[in-house]
Amino acid sequence: MGLVAEYEITCEVLPLVEVAAAVREATLEVELQYNHGDRPLFIVHVTGGTNESVERAFESAAFVASYTLVGRAGETCQYQVQPAIGEHSQLGGHIEDLSALRALATTDSIIERIRVTPTGWVQTGWFADRDVLNEFRAFWQRNGEFTLQRLTRDGEAEAPGDGLTDRQREALRIAYEMGHFEIPRSASLNDVATELDITASSLSERLRRAQTHLVETTVASTWPPLPE
């Protein structure tokens, strides 16, 4: 079963990070159009801030050759940004192996959202399995910092990238309040299941899924690097 992950990459040389740092009141999300050779066009969705402050930041950024405001949707302005420099000039002095970075684009994954921060990018994507996600994690741990923020399995009831389901959260809360996690326990699995009006086996599965999710989203980001 596939995974849906949201994670933060700390790497201040990533494109448009200097713009996000200059206009901290704005939210920048980007899409890349790779059919433009070594310098893909960036479609930048900007919410918040003023047009003047955002455009001053574009004009001051070494990465930006030119920009065009192509439309508005409510409070969001959409810009097309032409890079001034290519991938090698932007990242070559900071990324140990650009070919490994390019190889990530050929894995069984889909990056559907990129948010630019003052220190890097936050990405949300779909990954065929944990091995594919580990390729991203291992690469960015070698070249910056990788922090897993959310992790769910595809096909689960909650929206991609969300946390616990309402039933999982309720089961954890009731089990905790009744003392199921105390040492020694003051409430058995059957006691909690009776309170929730479900079977003990259903409760056990619900708690396991909730605990697995919490481990994956809080501990998984500290997994040791993959062997070379």
Side-chain angles (χ1 to χ4, degrees), residues 134 137-138 141 220-227:
N134 277 343
R137 178 188 61 82
Q141 284 185 333
S221 61
T222 64
W223 295 333
L226 295 173

Side-chain angles (χ1 to χ4, degrees), residues 95 97 100-101 104 134-143:
I95 300 297
D97 185 357
L101 176 60
L104 293 179
N134 277 343
E135 290 186 50
F136 283 76
R137 178 188 61 82
F139 176 85
W140 286 112
Q141 284 185 333
R142 293 194 304 268
N143 293 281

Side-chain angles (χ1 to χ4, degrees), residues 8-30:
E8 181 174 5
I9 299 166
T10 301
C11 180
E12 295 183 1
V13 298
L14 285 170
L16 299 173
V17 167
E18 57 188 320
V19 175
V23 193
R24 292 176 179 265
E25 66 274 20
T27 299
L28 279 65
E29 295 190 359
V30 302

Side-chain angles (χ1 to χ4, degrees), residues 101-224:
L101 176 60
R102 298 186 193 102
L104 293 179
T106 67
T107 60
D108 295 328
S109 61
I110 300 172
I111 304 302
E112 65 177 5
R113 183 182 180 191
I114 300 173
R115 177 166 55 86
V116 186
T117 75
T119 58
W121 285 3
V122 175
Q123 293 187 332
T124 302
W126 299 73
F127 302 85
D129 52 41
R130 189 182 297 277
D131 288 342
V132 176
L133 177 58
N134 277 343
E135 290 186 50
F136 283 76
R137 178 188 61 82
F139 176 85
W140 286 112
Q141 284 185 333
R142 293 194 304 268
N143 293 281
E145 184 176 335
F146 177 99
T147 304
L148 186 64
Q149 296 183 340
R150 294 181 181 177
L151 182 66
T152 60
R153 294 177 178 85
D154 64 6
E156 289 189 350
E158 67 261 33
D162 284 351
L164 300 172
T165 66
D166 290 341
R167 289 182 178 182
Q168 289 170 350
R169 188 176 293 104
E170 179 188 36
L172 283 174
R173 180 178 61 81
I174 296 299
Y176 176 79
E177 291 176 351
M178 292 182 66
H180 179 67
F181 299 118
E182 292 179 0
I183 301 175
R185 287 177 175 169
S186 55
S188 68
L189 193 67
N190 284 329
D191 294 334
V192 180
T194 299
E195 178 69 19
L196 290 168
D197 196 24
I198 60 176
T199 65
S201 61
S202 294
L203 173 62
S204 177
E205 180 179 354
R206 195 171 297 177
L207 289 176
R208 283 200 307 272
R209 287 183 179 275
Q211 291 166 330
T212 297
H213 171 82
L214 292 175
V215 169
E216 288 176 336
T217 55
T218 59
V219 178
S221 61
T222 64
W223 295 333

